[in-house]
Amino acid sequence: MYALKNTNKPDEIIPANYKAVHYIGGGAAMFGVPENKEIQTLVMTIYEQHDGIVSSVCHGTAGIVNLKTREGNYLFKNKVVSGYPDSFEKQDAEYFRHFPFLIQKTLENRGAVFKFSPRNKAHVEVDGKLITGQNYLSSREVALKIIENLNEGKK
């Protein structure tokens, strides 16, 4: 509870102090995060100005759908990404009716190449400094890929 009450706001974070940003999954990641301009600016500053990594797992991939480079292109344009596939959603469930967008469809419509594996299998895509995983089973491998990428940057 202490950490929740004392979490830094985006404008309190110094981008130069970070080398990676990770968007965690869960349906709540669909609300408030993707459209937050302060978070977008912070993440892209870490990515572009500090050679940082942007990563996500499962529904956390919703957090990257609006990220744009300085040139105005989507971060993931022409890159291979993963996340929770639209076809795996329970489209007749109450929660689904409240989703503001579909992750896979939005990414693909904006130029991403979306890949995934069968349900309940880990699947990770690494495209440069963009590291994405299909589901919670992919979390460990995404974390290891982040560490590997960070260690390569030290060489």
Side-chain angles (χ1 to χ4, degrees), residues 10-143:
D11 64 351
E12 298 172 325
I13 293 174
I14 300 168
N17 292 345
Y18 294 86
K19 292 302 289 176
V21 175
H22 184 66
Y23 291 93
I24 296 295
M30 302 283 294
F31 305 93
V33 175
E35 65 274 10
N36 187 300
K37 298 288 187 196
E38 288 180 301
I39 293 173
Q40 291 172 28
T41 299
L42 176 64
V43 171
M44 291 311 295
T45 299
I46 292 168
Y47 182 81
E48 292 183 308
Q49 295 177 24
H50 303 288
D51 198 29
I53 296 165
V54 173
S55 64
S56 65
V57 171
C58 200
H59 286 88
T61 305
I64 73 170
V65 301
N66 293 319
L67 295 179
K68 287 188 175 182
T69 64
R70 285 180 281 232
E71 293 80 27
N73 297 315
Y74 285 104
L75 166 68
F76 47 81
K77 185 176 181 181
N78 299 320
K79 293 187 179 190
V80 180
V81 299
S82 191
Y84 201 71
D86 298 344
S87 62
F88 289 5
E89 297 287 1
K90 295 177 185 165
Q91 297 189 10
D92 59 345
E94 181 65 26
Y95 81 88
F96 185 76
R97 287 187 271 263
H98 297 285
F99 277 3
F101 59 91
L102 297 173
I103 296 170
Q104 179 182 350
K105 180 180 178 183
T106 302
L107 289 169
E108 289 175 336
N109 286 345
R110 294 178 176 178
V113 177
F114 193 93
K115 293 189 177 183
F116 60 97
S117 294
R119 190 183 298 274
N120 298 320
K121 299 274 186 190
H123 185 102
V124 174
E125 293 293 341
V126 178
D127 198 325
K129 297 276 186 180
L130 181 60
I131 303 171
T132 52
Q134 173 175 319
N135 52 29
Y136 76 95
L137 297 167
S138 309
S139 297
R140 181 179 187 278
E141 191 175 338
V142 167

